[in-house]
Amino acid sequence: MDLYVAAILLFALAATVTCCPPQCRSCAGGTTDCSSVGLRDIPRNFPRESVTIDLTDNQLTDLQQSDFPAESNVQNLRLSSNGLSVLAPRAFSNLGLLMSLDLSLNPITRIHDKAFEGLSRLRSLTLTNTKLQRIGKPFNEIPNISTLYLGNNQLQRIEEDDFEMITRVRSIDLSANRIESIHPRAFENLPYLRYLILKNNPIIEARGLKFSSAMLQLVDFSQCNLRSVPGPMPPSVADFRLGNNKITEIKVSDFENITNLQLLTLVENQISNVEYMAFSTNINLQELWLNSNKLKMIPRGLPIALQKLYMDQNNIHDIESGLFGKNANLETLSLNMNAVHQILSNSFSGLKNLTNILLKTNKIQEIKSGTFTDMISLNKLDLSDNPLKTISPGAFKDLPSLQDLDMSYQEQTDVTVANDFLPGINTIKSLQFMNSPGLAKKFLRLIEKQRRFTFPSLTRINLEYNELETLPSNLRDALPSLEMMSLDGNPLQCDSRLLWLWNWMKNSDIVFYSLEAPKCAGPGNVKERDLDSLKVNDFGSAPPTATKTNSRGAPAEAEDSPAKGETTQKQQGTKPTGGVQETSTGQKGNSQSNTMKDILEATTGRGKTSLERVEGSQTSGQIKDNNNNAARKTTGKEQNKPKNNKKKGNKKNKKKRDPKKRNKKKRKRHNGTKGAKRGKRKIPRKCSKLPTGQRQCCRTLKDGSQRCRIMKPRARKATRARKTRKPRTKNSKTA
């Protein structure tokens, strides 16, 4: 009987020890979860197997030594978001195995010097978001602490002995306090210190700091009020952050001791001068951030190991030549939002590893020949938001790795683009022409002109908001790998010229818009309708194109002014001589030059001969050939002219014409009776007046194409001024 009672008592005792406190949520997996349950006092009799006790977000205001069971196995204690204001002496002495203590988000104003007594194994202490104004000496009781978080408090200064006894600490976070001064010897006794974070403090100066650590890697003084570079730093520092300060100058002595420096951040300062060779001793520097300063030129003497240079939002005007060494390893050069108006020749020479060039929002007007020559690794080029006027021949020569080209937001509507622009970018995968009407139209014109040219890798092209009314039909063949073509915001004219695009949209998986499907701006019967919702019968005939002519009467589009470096016919010595052209070498060629072919194609829409007449040249039907009678046929009224012009007789002997018969003949000719007798189909034509005074008349044929004819205005006969007769006199007659 006694043995039976003893067994029951032992079982009851074990049950009381291992059971979970009724106030807590659970005690599974070695974690006792008592968070957010409104506790005012710490529960008793935690299970012995509990390794972590979570008391977060309760109403605890006081801690005593007796609140925790003696000889417990607790290693992690979480007390954040409570009402603790004072930490009493020996409050955690019963937790001898404690390694992590979180006291954040408590209104702690004072920590007793003996508050952490007995926590010799503590490795991590979190005191962020409290109301501490000074540190004192409570850390003397935790000599083995490794990580100390003191951010977002009200500390005003760092004294010499604040961290004197925690010689094994590796990371100290003092960010977002009110620290104005740091004692030069505050970190001298920390030989294992690796991370020191002092950002977001009103520190004005931190000169003469002493460090004993040969392991310090990260020092963060960003978002302070520093007017000069703090230091000196030990050679081991690899990441030095000084952004958002008031530094005005970089001197050679500022970083000369940091030989292991790999990342240097100086963004959003007031730097206007960088001394020559200021970074020359930083032989391992890989990233340099100088954004948002007042620099007018790229610093000289940059280390060869530098891979990324960011200088956005400065006042840089020129990219000079010889800035980088022959063996430079630069991969990214970012000069967005500067005042760069020209890129000098050989500026990028030797940069065979350069992958990204970012020149967005500058003042570049011309891409000169050879600007990007021999850049075999260039992958991304951003030239968006520049007043670009000219792309010279050879500007994009030898770019075998270019895949991403952004030329959006080009303000100029009149842009000169060299003919070799397309072959120079034939490896791209993404092409951006958003809101660049002049450049986009020149690009499409080159596509239409170079009919056999293709972009084998191009998958995305952006043509949004470019005032495009139509697109060349061979664009589909030029983009065999296309996946997306954005056409948002273009006033497309949905006539027969876009029937091929409608068919492409219906029979492919390509996406043709970013936000809104392409809509028709005209003609009136399909206005404001989605292009892909139309039917074949909705596509009417295309309106006659009003061809602009130059001073010689030829269409202006056929005479695109060549880019710099290209020669015209006159520059090459070609002289037009009526029906035959004679070059400077003495050889004769056909009167149908390349320019004339472009005129015929622009007028007829096909490769056949045109019926138009252009001053200074003859059509193919007017070329004289004595061996071919068919070539002698001419158009217009010249066919009915007699071969031998007889002299006119007196007016009295001239036969008078009957005006009724003349009107009858005209009526017959306009009614098309002659063509009807021959069995020809009567096709109406529409005529429009060109800006040059000429008339263009077009007929729409059965296959949908147009046949146009340009007629010159009839020249008015000059009226001679009548001579005033003198009255005859007898003397004058006899004379």
Side-chain angles (χ1 to χ4, degrees):
M1 186 66 181
D2 295 336
L3 292 174
Y4 180 77
V5 173
I8 293 175
L9 292 175
L10 289 173
F11 180 80
L13 180 62
T16 56
V17 173
T18 58
C19 68
C20 188
Q23 304 96 322
C24 299
R25 296 175 181 273
S26 66
C27 298
T31 300
T32 302
D33 185 5
C34 304
S35 61
S36 304
V37 293
L39 294 176
R40 294 180 179 270
D41 298 313
I42 297 178
R44 304 288 181 178
N45 301 325
F46 289 104
R48 288 186 177 181
E49 62 269 17
S50 293
V51 178
T52 300
I53 297 178
D54 190 354
L55 297 168
T56 303
D57 194 16
N58 283 288
Q59 300 178 19
L60 303 175
T61 57
D62 190 20
L63 292 178
Q64 299 295 330
Q65 180 182 1
S66 60
D67 290 339
F68 301 99
E71 299 180 0
S72 64
N73 295 319
V74 178
Q75 298 181 14
N76 304 306
L77 179 61
R78 302 170 186 169
L79 287 164
S80 62
S81 300
N82 278 277
L84 302 174
S85 58
V86 178
L87 296 182
R90 301 178 59 83
F92 308 97
S93 59
N94 288 344
L95 304 175
L97 300 179
L98 194 65
M99 299 182 66
S100 174
L101 177 60
D102 186 358
L103 292 165
S104 61
L105 294 169
N106 280 282
I108 301 174
T109 56
R110 181 173 177 270
I111 301 176
H112 197 275
D113 290 347
K114 299 292 183 179
F116 302 119
E117 184 178 351
L119 301 181
S120 58
R121 296 189 179 185
L122 191 66
R123 296 290 184 270
S124 175
L125 176 60
T126 304
L127 285 166
T128 58
N129 294 94
T130 67
K131 295 184 178 180
L132 282 175
Q133 296 183 1
R134 59 180 298 272
I135 294 177
K137 296 184 179 180
F139 303 143
N140 293 347
E141 302 296 330
I142 47 175
N144 295 317
I145 192 74
S146 176
T147 305
L148 183 60
Y149 298 101
L150 294 169
N152 293 89
N153 286 291
Q154 299 177 12
L155 301 175
Q156 298 180 0
R157 63 180 62 88
I158 303 299
E159 303 293 347
E160 180 180 3
D161 56 352
D162 284 346
F163 309 112
E164 183 179 12
M165 300 302 295
I166 52 174
T167 56
R168 294 182 178 274
V169 69
R170 296 188 177 187
S171 176
I172 299 178
D173 184 0
L174 293 163
S175 61
N177 277 275
R178 301 176 183 178
I179 302 172
E180 296 181 355
S181 63
I182 301 174
H183 195 279
R185 304 173 67 92
F187 310 110
E188 187 178 16
N189 295 326
L190 307 177
Y192 298 102
L193 186 63
R194 289 189 177 184
Y195 308 103
L196 178 61
I197 302 175
L198 286 157
K199 68 178 181 179
N200 198 10
N201 280 286
I203 306 172
I204 297 176
E205 187 176 3
R207 302 291 296 179
L209 297 177
K210 297 183 181 299
F211 295 91
S212 60
S213 174
M215 304 171 64
L216 188 60
Q217 296 181 2
L218 170 64
V219 179
D220 191 350
F221 274 93
S222 58
Q223 300 179 17
C224 297
N225 291 327
L226 292 172
R227 297 179 181 177
S228 60
V229 177
M233 295 293 156
S236 60
V237 174
D239 189 345
F240 198 5
R241 305 181 184 185
L242 297 168
N244 298 85
N245 282 284
K246 297 180 180 180
I247 302 173
T248 58
E249 186 180 12
I250 301 299
K251 300 179 180 179
V252 177
S253 59
D254 289 338
F255 307 105
E256 63 178 354
N257 190 46
I258 316 177
T259 56
N260 194 45
L261 186 62
Q262 298 178 17
L263 171 63
L264 177 60
T265 304
L266 289 163
V267 300
E268 295 191 31
N269 278 274
Q270 300 176 11
I271 303 172
S272 58
N273 181 38
V274 177
E275 290 186 0
Y276 177 63
M277 304 294 285
F279 307 106
S280 59
T281 58
N282 310 122
I283 56 176
N284 294 311
L285 185 63
Q286 297 180 7
E287 293 188 34
L288 178 59
W289 293 70
L290 289 166
N291 299 358
S292 302
N293 281 282
K294 298 180 180 180
L295 293 169
K296 295 183 178 180
M297 58 186 299
I298 299 175
R300 288 186 173 271
L302 295 172
I304 296 177
L306 187 66
Q307 296 179 2
K308 298 179 181 180
L309 176 61
Y310 297 94
M311 298 190 68
D312 302 340
Q313 292 181 312
N314 279 276
N315 297 321
I316 299 173
H317 288 269
D318 300 322
I319 302 178
E320 302 174 300
S321 57
L323 288 172
F324 310 97
K326 295 182 179 180
N327 298 322
N329 294 314
L330 191 66
E331 295 179 358
T332 299
L333 176 62
S334 182
L335 295 171
N336 295 329
M337 290 171 281
N338 276 276
V340 178
H341 65 276
Q342 66 174 347
I343 304 173
L344 299 180
S345 58
N346 300 323
S347 296
F348 305 117
S349 61
L351 299 178
K352 295 184 178 181
N353 296 324
L354 191 59
T355 305
N356 305 312
I357 300 179
L358 309 177
L359 293 167
K360 178 175 64 176
T361 315
N362 279 276
K363 299 180 180 179
I364 302 173
Q365 297 185 4
E366 181 183 3
I367 307 297
K368 298 182 179 180
S369 177
T371 301
F372 305 109
T373 303
D374 297 331
M375 301 190 68
I376 58 176
S377 300
L378 185 61
N379 181 270
K380 181 177 181 179
L381 177 60
D382 190 349
L383 292 168
S384 60
D385 197 10
N386 279 279
L388 195 62
K389 293 182 179 179
T390 305
I391 298 179
S392 301
F396 290 87
K397 185 179 180 181
D398 298 331
L399 297 176
S401 302
L402 185 63
Q403 295 185 4
D404 190 349
L405 177 61
D406 193 344
M407 304 187 80
S408 304
Y409 301 101
Q410 302 291 341
E411 299 177 358
Q412 299 295 328
T413 56
D414 186 13
V415 184
T416 302
V417 181
N419 290 331
D420 64 348
F421 174 62
L422 297 186
I425 61 171
N426 65 336
T427 59
I428 57 173
K429 292 184 178 180
S430 176
L431 184 59
Q432 303 287 329
F433 281 135
M434 181 178 182
N435 202 5
S436 301
L439 190 59
K441 290 177 182 178
K442 282 296 178 72
F443 170 78
L444 294 174
R445 193 172 298 172
L446 288 176
I447 290 286
E448 186 175 12
K449 185 177 179 181
Q450 303 177 17
R451 290 188 172 273
R452 295 186 178 180
F453 183 82
T454 60
F455 289 98
S457 304
L458 186 62
T459 58
R460 301 174 65 90
I461 182 170
N462 192 333
L463 295 171
E464 298 177 10
Y465 303 100
N466 282 312
E467 303 174 7
L468 300 176
E469 295 184 358
T470 187
L471 298 171
S473 59
N474 63 319
L475 185 62
R476 180 175 184 175
D477 297 330
L479 307 175
S481 304
L482 189 65
E483 296 177 0
M484 181 176 183
M485 180 167 64
S486 302
L487 293 172
D488 306 39
N490 284 294
L492 298 176
Q493 296 297 317
C494 300
D495 48 42
S496 58
R497 295 173 297 176
L498 287 183
L499 188 58
W500 68 271
L501 179 60
W502 173 84
N503 187 31
W504 196 14
M505 296 173 67
K506 291 289 186 180
N507 299 303
S508 68
D509 297 331
I510 299 173
V511 180
F512 287 90
Y513 61 93
S514 297
L515 299 175
E516 186 178 5
K519 289 184 177 296
C520 300
N525 59 328
V526 295
K527 190 175 182 180
E528 298 300 328
R529 291 179 59 183
D530 291 345
L531 176 59
D532 58 355
S533 66
L534 302 183
K535 297 181 180 179
V536 179
N537 297 332
D538 294 331
F539 290 89
S541 59
T545 56
T547 308
K548 296 182 180 180
T549 58
N550 55 17
S551 59
R552 298 189 303 274
E557 292 182 358
E559 293 188 357
D560 287 338
S561 56
K564 294 182 179 179
E566 294 183 350
T567 57
T568 60
Q569 273 188 336
K570 292 183 179 180
Q571 293 171 345
Q572 291 174 352
T574 305
K575 301 178 182 179
T577 58
V580 180
Q581 291 181 349
E582 185 176 355
T583 60
S584 59
T585 58
Q587 297 177 352
K588 295 183 179 181
N590 295 330
S591 61
Q592 257 188 320
S593 61
N594 293 332
T595 305
M596 190 60 200
K597 290 180 180 178
D598 295 339
I599 294 172
L600 296 175
E601 291 181 3
T603 307
T604 60
R606 297 174 295 173
K608 299 180 181 181
T609 58
S610 173
L611 298 178
E612 73 171 287
R613 293 175 177 271
V614 183
E615 293 185 10
S617 63
Q618 294 178 335
T619 61
S620 60
Q622 294 172 320
I623 300 175
K624 296 181 180 181
D625 188 355
N626 295 328
N627 297 325
N628 190 358
N629 295 328
R632 296 183 181 179
K633 295 181 180 180
T634 56
T635 59
K637 293 185 178 181
E638 293 181 2
Q639 188 176 1
N640 299 326
K641 286 184 179 181
K643 295 182 179 179
N644 298 325
N645 295 328
K646 297 182 180 180
K647 294 183 179 180
K648 295 181 180 180
N650 296 333
K651 291 183 179 180
K652 296 179 180 180
N653 299 330
K654 191 174 182 180
K655 188 177 180 180
K656 294 183 179 180
R657 295 182 180 179
D658 188 359
K660 294 183 179 180
K661 294 182 178 180
R662 184 179 181 184
N663 294 336
K664 192 174 182 180
K665 291 181 179 180
K666 285 186 177 180
R667 198 178 299 113
K668 286 182 179 180
R669 184 175 60 192
H670 286 289
N671 289 338
T673 55
K674 187 175 181 181
K677 289 180 180 179
R678 295 182 180 178
K680 293 184 179 179
R681 184 181 177 184
K682 177 182 172 183
I683 303 177
R685 63 182 180 181
K686 295 181 181 180
C687 297
S688 58
K689 190 174 181 180
L690 301 181
T692 58
Q694 298 173 328
R695 291 176 56 204
Q696 183 181 22
C697 297
C698 297
R699 298 179 188 272
T700 304
L701 302 182
K702 187 176 181 180
D703 57 355
S705 61
Q706 287 190 343
R707 183 178 180 182
C708 299
R709 176 177 178 178
I710 294 179
M711 295 180 290
K712 298 195 308 183
R714 295 179 180 177
R716 295 183 179 179
K717 295 182 180 180
T719 57
R720 296 182 181 179
R722 293 184 179 179
K723 297 182 180 179
T724 56
R725 292 185 178 181
K726 296 182 179 179
R728 289 186 177 182
T729 58
K730 293 181 179 181
N731 296 332
S732 62
K733 187 175 182 180
T734 55

